[in-house]
Amino acid sequence: MQCTGNTPPISFAMLRKMILLTGGSVVLSLMITATIILLLGETGALPLGLAIAGFCPVLVTPPATYVFCRQTMELQAAYKALGEAHRNLSDIHARLKTAHEDLEHRASHDAMTGLANRDRFLSHLSELKRQSHSGYLLMIDADHFKQINDLHGHDAGDRALLAVGQAIAGSIRPTDLGARIGGEEFAIILRGSSEEGAAMIAERVRANVENISLSTADGTPLHVTVSIGGAAFGPQSRSKEVMRQADSQLYEAKRSGRNRVVMATGKVTRAA
């Protein structure tokens, strides 16, 4: 049996429920009617009363049961659709969150090295000073980088920069921030570091870069080193002044022969 139009078909389960409810309604109606007639002593009206009592449930119960079942099915379908919509919205929300995080990362990190970019570097330094933190700033520059590009091409230069970025990322603490601030220039912000601790990390970066095993596309060995300058900063320090001091030490490292660390106090380290 099937209904026409947009109404759902009468399934076996629905038909079974209609028959059971109708049968139960007929029996209950007959019992109640017979009891009332007998209590009133109107036995002559018993046949007609029972006929009416049996006919009314047959007339009313099946369509009422069908309407009830149809509404139940529609509610179940609506609930299922709502659940599916909720799952879809959750999935969309998760994808939007991932996309937003990816955009935030792209906006604050260097695409080549994965380190923080210049804007992130400057904002982090300002935020540390605003929170009354002190520490050390290391300015880092790849030595003879123009020669690498000129002799071996920009692909070799890019590989060298990537290697330097990886060496920096692998040399610092979780609380530190490594950044590429432009071209072959890098920086590290060491929150809460002493001069001794800063010099130790700077030397670790220098040694790790020097130990990089790198070659060009044609197999030519590529030797990469960096020069590093460091300067302290505190809550009252001006970012530009701290950067100028660290740059000054970096230039001193360059003038002294490159591949070395010079801190603001004049402490110099280099490979033996």
Side-chain angles (χ1 to χ4, degrees):
M1 182 185 299
Q2 188 164 345
C3 298
T4 60
N6 295 325
T7 56
I10 300 177
S11 64
F12 176 78
M14 186 186 297
L15 183 60
R16 183 170 176 269
K17 183 178 291 187
M18 291 169 62
I19 293 173
L20 290 175
L21 288 174
T22 300
S25 298
V26 169
V27 171
L28 183 61
S29 179
L30 291 174
M31 290 175 61
I32 293 174
T33 300
T35 300
I36 293 174
I37 291 176
L38 291 176
L39 288 175
L40 292 176
E42 300 291 339
T43 54
L46 187 59
L48 178 60
L50 292 177
I52 295 173
F55 176 75
C56 288
V58 172
L59 182 66
V60 174
T61 303
T65 302
Y66 172 75
V67 171
F68 174 78
C69 290
R70 186 182 68 181
Q71 291 177 342
T72 301
M73 291 171 62
E74 291 173 349
L75 286 174
Q76 290 174 342
Y79 180 77
K80 182 178 179 181
L82 183 62
E84 184 66 24
H86 177 72
R87 286 189 293 272
N88 290 338
L89 285 174
S90 297
D91 182 58
I92 291 172
H93 176 73
R95 282 184 287 170
L96 286 174
K97 182 179 179 182
T98 300
H100 178 69
E101 290 173 349
D102 181 62
L103 286 174
E104 281 191 335
H105 186 274
R106 288 173 181 268
S108 61
H109 288 74
D110 175 58
M112 178 184 295
T113 63
L115 298 175
N117 59 20
R118 185 180 183 88
D119 289 342
R120 173 71 179 129
F121 159 75
L122 291 173
S123 65
H124 185 69
L125 181 59
S126 297
E127 181 66 16
L128 288 181
K129 294 195 288 90
R130 189 185 67 81
Q131 295 177 357
S132 299
H133 287 294
S134 59
Y136 260 78
L137 171 64
L138 303 179
M139 299 295 286
I140 306 166
D141 191 81
D143 296 328
H144 302 298
F145 184 73
K146 186 176 184 302
Q147 291 183 15
I148 295 177
N149 278 334
D150 292 343
L151 294 176
H152 305 290
H154 289 283
D155 179 67
D158 289 347
R159 295 169 67 187
L161 291 177
L162 177 59
V164 171
Q166 291 172 339
I168 290 174
S171 303
I172 59 179
R173 306 167 301 176
T175 54
D176 302 330
L177 179 77
R180 180 188 178 198
I181 57 176
E184 66 272 25
E185 298 177 298
F186 297 84
I188 300 175
I189 300 174
L190 304 170
R191 186 183 72 181
S193 177
S194 63
E195 180 186 351
E196 182 179 356
M200 184 181 301
I201 293 175
E203 172 58 22
R204 185 189 306 154
V205 171
R206 186 206 63 76
N208 286 344
V209 172
E210 187 179 31
N211 291 330
I212 291 172
S213 178
L214 198 64
S215 60
T216 63
D218 60 5
T220 303
L222 196 61
H223 187 58
V224 183
T225 63
V226 293
S227 298
I228 303 175
F233 68 85
Q236 304 303 320
S237 303
R238 297 179 59 185
S239 296
K240 289 184 178 180
E241 180 60 23
V242 176
M243 292 176 66
R244 189 195 64 77
Q245 291 177 3
D247 269 333
S248 177
Q249 308 312 310
L250 170 61
Y251 295 143
E252 180 60 30
K254 293 280 190 181
R255 286 192 295 268
S256 301
R258 295 182 173 82
N259 188 26
R260 63 193 63 210
V261 176
V262 177
M263 305 301 288
T265 56
K267 182 177 181 180
V268 180
T269 65
R270 62 156 294 163

XYZ file of all heavy atoms in Angstrom, residues 6-74:
504
model
N 3.193 13.733 -1.828
C 4.461 13.807 -1.127
C 4.454 13.058 0.191
O 5.429 13.108 0.938
C 4.832 15.279 -0.871
C 5.078 16.027 -2.167
O 5.595 15.444 -3.112
N 4.702 17.299 -2.204
N 3.346 12.417 0.526
C 3.271 11.679 1.779
C 4.109 10.420 1.679
O 4.183 9.779 0.634
C 1.817 11.300 2.103
O 1.277 10.552 1.011
C 0.983 12.536 2.331
N 4.720 9.995 2.779
C 5.573 8.812 2.737
C 4.749 7.551 2.579
O 3.590 7.500 2.978
C 6.278 8.858 4.108
C 5.380 9.628 5.001
C 4.714 10.633 4.126
N 5.288 6.477 1.980
C 4.546 5.233 1.820
C 4.281 4.575 3.166
O 5.006 4.790 4.130
C 5.492 4.397 0.958
C 6.849 4.935 1.249
C 6.646 6.403 1.467
N 3.221 3.776 3.201
C 2.891 3.045 4.417
C 3.755 1.791 4.451
O 3.548 0.864 3.681
C 1.393 2.678 4.466
C 0.550 3.955 4.438
C 1.085 1.880 5.717
C -0.939 3.699 4.412
N 4.705 1.772 5.334
C 5.598 0.627 5.439
C 4.926 -0.499 6.199
O 3.854 -0.335 6.801
C 6.884 1.036 6.148
O 6.599 1.425 7.489
N 5.563 -1.666 6.174
C 5.014 -2.817 6.905
C 4.948 -2.526 8.395
O 3.981 -2.878 9.075
C 5.891 -4.058 6.639
C 5.462 -5.261 7.420
C 4.361 -6.017 7.019
C 6.153 -5.644 8.570
C 3.956 -7.140 7.749
C 5.756 -6.760 9.300
C 4.661 -7.510 8.886
N 5.978 -1.896 8.927
C 5.985 -1.576 10.356
C 4.855 -0.617 10.706
O 4.189 -0.769 11.737
C 7.339 -0.972 10.728
N 4.623 0.388 9.809
C 3.530 1.324 10.062
C 2.188 0.617 9.984
O 1.292 0.837 10.824
C 3.589 2.475 9.059
C 2.582 3.585 9.341
S 2.547 4.853 8.051
C 4.208 5.493 8.164
N 2.018 -0.270 8.980
C 0.750 -1.009 8.827
C 0.503 -1.904 10.029
O -0.630 -1.995 10.531
C 0.803 -1.833 7.545
C -0.470 -2.621 7.192
C -1.656 -1.662 7.004
C -0.253 -3.449 5.933
N 1.552 -2.541 10.507
C 1.429 -3.422 11.674
C 1.019 -2.618 12.899
O 0.153 -3.043 13.685
C 2.777 -4.109 11.922
C 2.779 -5.118 13.065
C 4.087 -5.904 13.054
N 4.146 -6.800 14.187
C 4.676 -6.501 15.375
N 5.193 -5.300 15.551
N 4.701 -7.390 16.348
N 1.627 -1.444 13.049
C 1.273 -0.606 14.188
C -0.176 -0.145 14.090
O -0.911 -0.102 15.096
C 2.221 0.600 14.252
C 1.998 1.499 15.443
C 2.996 2.641 15.470
C 4.387 2.114 15.778
N 5.351 3.234 15.980
N -0.640 0.207 12.882
C -2.017 0.641 12.691
C -2.999 -0.475 13.048
O -4.025 -0.239 13.708
C -2.233 1.081 11.239
C -1.503 2.362 10.873
S -1.488 2.711 9.092
C -3.233 2.889 8.775
N -2.671 -1.717 12.625
C -3.571 -2.852 12.913
C -3.620 -3.122 14.408
O -4.707 -3.325 14.984
C -3.097 -4.099 12.144
C -3.279 -3.885 10.637
C -3.858 -5.344 12.603
C -2.686 -4.986 9.789
N -2.463 -3.131 15.058
C -2.427 -3.405 16.492
C -3.164 -2.337 17.291
O -3.949 -2.650 18.215
C -0.973 -3.506 16.964
C -0.193 -4.740 16.493
C 1.264 -4.638 16.928
C -0.825 -6.010 17.056
N -2.922 -1.083 16.941
C -3.598 -0.004 17.668
C -5.096 -0.009 17.416
O -5.903 0.232 18.331
C -2.996 1.340 17.267
C -1.585 1.632 17.796
C -1.058 2.928 17.206
C -1.588 1.705 19.321
N -5.463 -0.279 16.158
C -6.894 -0.314 15.844
C -7.576 -1.466 16.582
O -8.662 -1.288 17.176
C -7.105 -0.486 14.328
O -6.505 0.622 13.666
C -8.592 -0.531 13.997
N -6.950 -2.648 16.564
C -7.512 -3.791 17.282
C -7.642 -3.517 18.762
O -8.668 -3.826 19.388
N -6.586 -2.949 19.332
C -6.638 -2.632 20.754
C -7.709 -1.608 21.068
O -8.410 -1.712 22.088
N -7.855 -0.615 20.188
C -8.876 0.416 20.402
C -10.276 -0.176 20.323
O -11.175 0.199 21.105
C -8.721 1.527 19.356
O -7.465 2.152 19.468
N -10.480 -1.096 19.374
C -11.804 -1.732 19.230
C -12.149 -2.537 20.477
O -13.254 -2.427 21.032
C -11.822 -2.633 17.983
C -13.092 -3.501 17.980
C -11.768 -1.791 16.721
N -11.197 -3.333 20.944
C -11.440 -4.150 22.133
C -11.719 -3.273 23.344
O -12.681 -3.510 24.102
C -10.232 -5.070 22.400
C -10.377 -5.776 23.752
C -10.083 -6.094 21.294
N -10.922 -2.263 23.534
C -11.116 -1.376 24.684
C -12.451 -0.648 24.594
O -13.170 -0.514 25.599
C -9.959 -0.374 24.741
C -9.963 0.591 25.938
C -9.864 -0.177 27.242
C -8.802 1.584 25.829
N -12.792 -0.170 23.369
C -14.057 0.544 23.193
C -15.245 -0.369 23.469
O -16.232 0.042 24.115
C -14.132 1.097 21.774
O -15.351 1.779 21.575
N -15.202 -1.625 22.987
C -16.285 -2.579 23.223
C -16.438 -2.878 24.713
O -17.564 -2.937 25.234
C -16.015 -3.874 22.455
C -16.122 -3.788 20.928
C -15.694 -5.098 20.286
C -17.564 -3.435 20.506
N -15.323 -3.066 25.400
C -15.385 -3.373 26.834
C -15.994 -2.224 27.614
O -16.840 -2.418 28.499
C -13.975 -3.670 27.351
C -13.389 -4.987 26.833
S -11.670 -5.215 27.362
C -11.881 -5.231 29.153
N -15.560 -1.002 27.292
C -16.082 0.154 28.034
C -17.566 0.347 27.749
O -18.376 0.585 28.662
C -15.288 1.418 27.655
C -13.834 1.299 28.154
C -15.949 2.665 28.225
C -12.938 2.431 27.710
N -17.944 0.235 26.450
C -19.353 0.429 26.072
C -20.244 -0.624 26.717
O -21.323 -0.310 27.252
C -19.485 0.369 24.543
O -18.670 1.401 23.973
C -20.932 0.587 24.129
N -19.801 -1.889 26.661
C -20.602 -2.978 27.246
C -20.759 -2.777 28.742
O -21.853 -2.983 29.305
C -19.934 -4.323 26.952
N -19.692 -2.380 29.413
C -19.759 -2.169 30.873
C -20.739 -1.063 31.224
O -21.554 -1.197 32.157
C -18.356 -1.808 31.395
O -17.437 -2.868 31.103
C -18.374 -1.588 32.908
N -20.669 0.042 30.464
C -21.588 1.167 30.759
C -23.037 0.766 30.531
O -23.936 1.074 31.339
C -21.204 2.382 29.893
C -19.824 2.921 30.327
C -22.262 3.466 29.992
C -19.310 4.022 29.446
N -23.305 0.075 29.379
C -24.691 -0.322 29.069
C -25.235 -1.284 30.115
O -26.403 -1.160 30.570
C -24.748 -0.943 27.665
C -24.493 0.137 26.602
C -26.112 -1.619 27.422
C -24.430 -0.404 25.196
N -24.413 -2.245 30.543
C -24.856 -3.214 31.553
C -25.088 -2.545 32.894
O -26.034 -2.874 33.630
C -23.811 -4.321 31.679
C -23.691 -5.261 30.462
C -22.566 -6.252 30.657
C -25.018 -5.996 30.235
N -24.229 -1.578 33.241
C -24.418 -0.865 34.505
C -25.701 -0.037 34.484
O -26.366 0.146 35.521
C -23.210 0.027 34.782
C -21.908 -0.688 35.195
C -20.775 0.309 35.322
C -22.099 -1.430 36.528
N -26.043 0.467 33.305
C -27.277 1.259 33.194
C -28.511 0.375 33.043
O -29.639 0.884 33.129
C -27.172 2.191 31.983
C -26.122 3.317 32.098
C -26.047 4.099 30.787
C -26.471 4.265 33.256
N -28.319 -0.916 32.813
C -29.447 -1.846 32.681
C -30.166 -1.743 31.350
O -31.278 -2.239 31.197
N -29.520 -1.122 30.362
C -30.135 -0.961 29.041
C -29.641 -2.074 28.108
O -28.972 -1.851 27.108
C -29.780 0.411 28.460
C -30.247 1.581 29.286
C -31.762 1.716 29.258
O -32.392 1.187 28.322
O -32.286 2.369 30.165
N -29.950 -3.302 28.442
C -29.466 -4.448 27.661
C -30.012 -4.455 26.243
O -29.403 -5.015 25.340
C -29.836 -5.770 28.349
O -31.258 -5.806 28.590
C -29.128 -5.889 29.709
N -31.141 -3.828 26.017
C -31.716 -3.793 24.679
C -30.867 -2.963 23.719
O -30.921 -3.164 22.499
N -30.119 -2.009 24.266
C -29.275 -1.145 23.428
C -27.881 -1.723 23.216
O -27.041 -1.117 22.557
C -29.151 0.237 24.078
N -27.646 -2.918 23.779
C -26.317 -3.506 23.716
C -25.831 -3.767 22.283
O -24.690 -3.396 21.951
C -26.275 -4.806 24.538
C -24.892 -5.448 24.711
C -23.929 -4.485 25.402
C -25.024 -6.755 25.511
N -26.657 -4.382 21.408
C -26.151 -4.652 20.042
C -25.755 -3.367 19.289
O -24.703 -3.300 18.661
C -27.327 -5.359 19.365
C -28.083 -5.984 20.489
C -27.994 -5.007 21.622
N -26.642 -2.357 19.367
C -26.337 -1.116 18.657
C -25.122 -0.413 19.260
O -24.256 0.101 18.548
C -27.547 -0.176 18.707
C -27.356 1.193 18.037
C -27.040 1.005 16.555
C -28.616 2.055 18.231
N -25.064 -0.425 20.610
C -23.933 0.221 21.277
C -22.610 -0.441 20.919
O -21.609 0.231 20.679
N -22.637 -1.781 20.880
C -21.403 -2.476 20.539
C -20.994 -2.240 19.077
O -19.799 -2.146 18.765
C -21.552 -3.980 20.795
C -21.684 -4.382 22.284
C -21.896 -5.880 22.398
C -20.472 -3.937 23.094
N -21.998 -2.139 18.222
C -21.703 -1.883 16.815
C -21.052 -0.515 16.648
O -20.065 -0.356 15.910
C -22.979 -1.971 15.988
N -21.630 0.454 17.327
C -21.051 1.805 17.248
C -19.660 1.828 17.892
O -18.721 2.427 17.356
C -21.981 2.823 17.932
C -23.311 2.913 17.168
C -21.311 4.192 18.015
C -24.358 3.762 17.854
N -19.534 1.136 19.046
C -18.260 1.106 19.758
C -17.177 0.424 18.924
O -15.993 0.785 18.997
C -18.411 0.393 21.097
N -17.547 -0.533 18.121
C -16.563 -1.218 17.290
C -16.240 -0.452 16.018
O -15.115 -0.512 15.508
N -17.231 0.278 15.503
C -17.041 0.977 14.233
C -16.198 2.246 14.391
O -15.349 2.550 13.549
C -18.410 1.331 13.629
C -18.293 2.141 12.376
C -17.899 1.556 11.174
C -18.591 3.501 12.383
C -17.790 2.305 10.034
C -18.483 4.254 11.224
C -18.100 3.652 10.045
N -16.431 2.958 15.481
C -15.737 4.255 15.662
C -14.207 4.100 15.705
O -13.487 4.844 15.027
C -16.249 4.944 16.928
S -17.927 5.597 16.738
N -13.652 3.165 16.483
C -12.192 3.014 16.474
C -11.637 2.627 15.100
O -10.549 3.065 14.722
C -11.939 1.905 17.502
C -13.110 1.944 18.406
C -14.272 2.308 17.522
N -12.423 1.787 14.372
C -11.975 1.389 13.039
C -11.918 2.592 12.113
O -11.054 2.706 11.241
C -12.904 0.303 12.459
C -12.568 0.012 11.003
C -12.812 -0.960 13.283
N -12.838 3.534 12.322
C -12.903 4.720 11.480
C -11.827 5.755 11.848
O -11.272 6.419 10.970
C -14.299 5.351 11.610
C -14.577 6.592 10.751
C -14.563 6.200 9.278
C -15.918 7.214 11.139
N -11.531 5.855 13.140
C -10.658 6.942 13.610
C -9.195 6.522 13.782
O -8.273 7.271 13.420
C -11.203 7.510 14.941
C -10.237 8.546 15.521
C -12.576 8.106 14.726
N -8.962 5.334 14.316
C -7.603 4.943 14.711
C -6.620 4.849 13.548
O -5.496 5.368 13.650
C -7.636 3.624 15.490
O -8.502 3.766 16.623
C -6.228 3.242 15.966
N -6.970 4.187 12.410
C -5.965 4.076 11.340
C -5.451 5.413 10.809
O -4.229 5.605 10.725
C -6.708 3.276 10.258
C -7.695 2.476 11.015
C -8.160 3.362 12.118
N -6.332 6.377 10.449
C -5.785 7.651 9.965
C -5.016 8.422 11.038
O -3.999 9.075 10.753
C -7.015 8.433 9.504
C -8.170 7.781 10.155
C -7.810 6.350 10.318
N -5.501 8.303 12.298
C -4.794 8.989 13.379
C -3.393 8.383 13.573
O -2.402 9.097 13.773
C -5.587 8.911 14.667
N -3.339 7.059 13.491
C -2.044 6.371 13.630
C -1.110 6.743 12.489
O 0.085 6.973 12.674
C -2.263 4.852 13.652
O -3.148 4.514 14.727
C -0.936 4.122 13.846
N -1.679 6.813 11.263
C -0.854 7.166 10.104
C -0.282 8.573 10.244
O 0.900 8.802 10.001
C -1.683 7.068 8.822
C -0.950 7.612 7.624
C 0.079 6.898 7.037
C -1.280 8.869 7.104
C 0.772 7.413 5.957
C -0.588 9.380 6.028
C 0.431 8.650 5.451
O 1.116 9.157 4.379
N -1.140 9.509 10.654
C -0.681 10.891 10.828
C 0.413 10.964 11.889
O 1.443 11.627 11.715
C -1.862 11.809 11.202
C -1.356 13.198 11.613
C -2.841 11.923 10.052
N 0.189 10.226 12.997
C 1.182 10.218 14.072
C 2.512 9.638 13.579
O 3.590 10.199 13.829
C 0.662 9.419 15.258
C 1.669 9.235 16.355
C 1.949 10.259 17.242
C 2.355 8.026 16.492
C 2.893 10.089 18.249
C 3.293 7.856 17.487
C 3.568 8.891 18.366
N 2.440 8.510 12.865
C 3.655 7.870 12.360
C 4.371 8.759 11.336
O 5.598 8.857 11.323
C 3.313 6.525 11.724
S 2.814 5.267 12.918
N 3.566 9.418 10.471
C 4.159 10.285 9.474
C 4.887 11.456 10.132
O 6.008 11.820 9.742
C 3.081 10.809 8.521
C 3.651 11.606 7.346
C 2.556 12.131 6.462
N 1.774 13.152 7.138
C 0.716 13.788 6.597
N 0.324 13.458 5.374
N 0.079 14.699 7.265
N 4.265 12.057 11.127
C 4.901 13.161 11.828
C 6.169 12.704 12.550
O 7.175 13.424 12.582
C 3.922 13.789 12.822
C 2.777 14.535 12.158
C 1.781 15.097 13.154
O 1.749 14.665 14.312
N 0.983 16.060 12.712
N 6.096 11.488 13.122
C 7.281 10.940 13.785
C 8.417 10.748 12.792
O 9.571 11.098 13.061
C 6.943 9.599 14.456
O 5.896 9.791 15.418
C 8.176 9.021 15.156
N 8.082 10.213 11.609
C 9.089 10.014 10.578
C 9.673 11.346 10.105
O 10.875 11.475 9.876
C 8.488 9.254 9.400
C 8.144 7.810 9.716
S 7.210 7.017 8.389
C 8.375 7.111 7.037
N 8.800 12.347 9.952
C 9.268 13.660 9.528
C 10.184 14.292 10.577
O 11.196 14.917 10.242
C 8.081 14.574 9.240
C 7.282 14.169 8.000
C 6.029 14.988 7.823
O 5.672 15.727 8.778
O 5.392 14.893 6.758
